[in-house]
Amino acid sequence: MLIAILLIATIAYAVMLNRRLTDLRKDQSELEKLAQSFNDATIRAEESIHKLTGSADDMKRDVQDTLRKAEALRDDLNFLIERAGASADKLEERVRNNRPEPQAPAFSGKKVKDTVVPPEPKATPAAKPKPEPSFLDDDDDYKPKTDAERELLKALESVR
């Protein structure tokens, strides 16, 4: 009888062990599926990294091209600003040279209202006004290189 009890206990333990092994095999197949999906995700991530690296390189080249163009425009604008400043200085000097010096009345002890100079008479229509000198006389052979230079020179000439 002792053998029968031991045999029943062994069979019960074997059944319990069989269930645990079945659960472990089932979990092993799920673990393999999980490992495979992780491997697939890793491969997709690596491909995406390569695509992103290529896109970043393309964007870097585009930004560098844009930067080169912007630097060229900056240089053109600096040239135009310098040129316009020099032209404005020449124009201001010529205007000053062509303007008569105001004559200050000598102090004679009179009140201010007695020293006010009457306005000069207006020119008659028959008199022709003197043409204003061109502020680019020295540089008549200058040819603008860009559209911005041409527009600035037109604007400056139209102001005259």
Side-chain angles (χ1 to χ4, degrees):
M1 175 112 152
L2 181 60
I3 293 186
I5 293 176
L6 286 174
L7 188 57
I8 291 174
T10 303
I11 291 174
Y13 185 71
V15 168
M16 187 173 63
L17 187 60
N18 189 30
R19 283 185 193 152
R20 286 188 179 172
L21 285 172
T22 304
D23 289 341
L24 185 61
R25 284 186 198 122
K26 187 172 75 174
D27 289 341
Q28 181 183 3
S29 68
E30 288 178 17
L31 184 61
E32 286 176 0
K33 289 178 186 176
L34 181 64
Q36 183 61 38
S37 66
F38 180 72
N39 187 32
D40 293 342
T42 304
I43 291 171
R44 283 195 309 269
E46 287 175 354
E47 290 172 356
S48 296
I49 288 173
H50 290 297
K51 288 179 183 177
L52 283 173
T53 303
S55 296
D57 290 341
D58 291 343
M59 283 190 247
K60 180 182 175 185
R61 279 191 293 275
D62 291 345
V63 167
Q64 287 175 339
D65 290 343
T66 304
L67 184 62
R68 274 190 227 108
K69 291 176 185 175
E71 288 173 346
L73 287 173
R74 181 199 61 202
D75 293 342
D76 285 347
L77 287 174
N78 283 336
F79 172 75
L80 289 174
I81 288 169
E82 290 173 10
R83 183 110 176 122
S87 297
D89 291 342
K90 287 179 188 177
L91 179 62
E92 182 180 0
E93 181 181 334
R94 289 183 181 167
V95 166
R96 278 191 192 140
N97 290 340
N98 290 333
R99 185 181 300 157
E101 288 290 323
Q103 296 186 8
F107 180 70
S108 62
K110 297 181 182 178
K111 295 181 180 177
V112 173
K113 68 179 182 177
D114 296 335
T115 60
V116 173
V117 179
E120 295 196 21
K122 294 184 179 179
T124 59
K128 291 185 179 178
K130 289 193 320 184
E132 293 184 26
S134 170
F135 60 91
L136 292 176
D137 284 343
D138 299 337
D139 299 340
D140 282 340
D141 60 337
Y142 175 75
K143 302 286 187 222
K145 295 177 183 137
T146 63
D147 291 336
E149 287 181 40
R150 281 186 218 96
E151 289 177 17
L152 179 61
L153 290 175
K154 284 180 186 176
L156 290 173
E157 287 177 359
S158 69
V159 170
R160 294 188 293 170

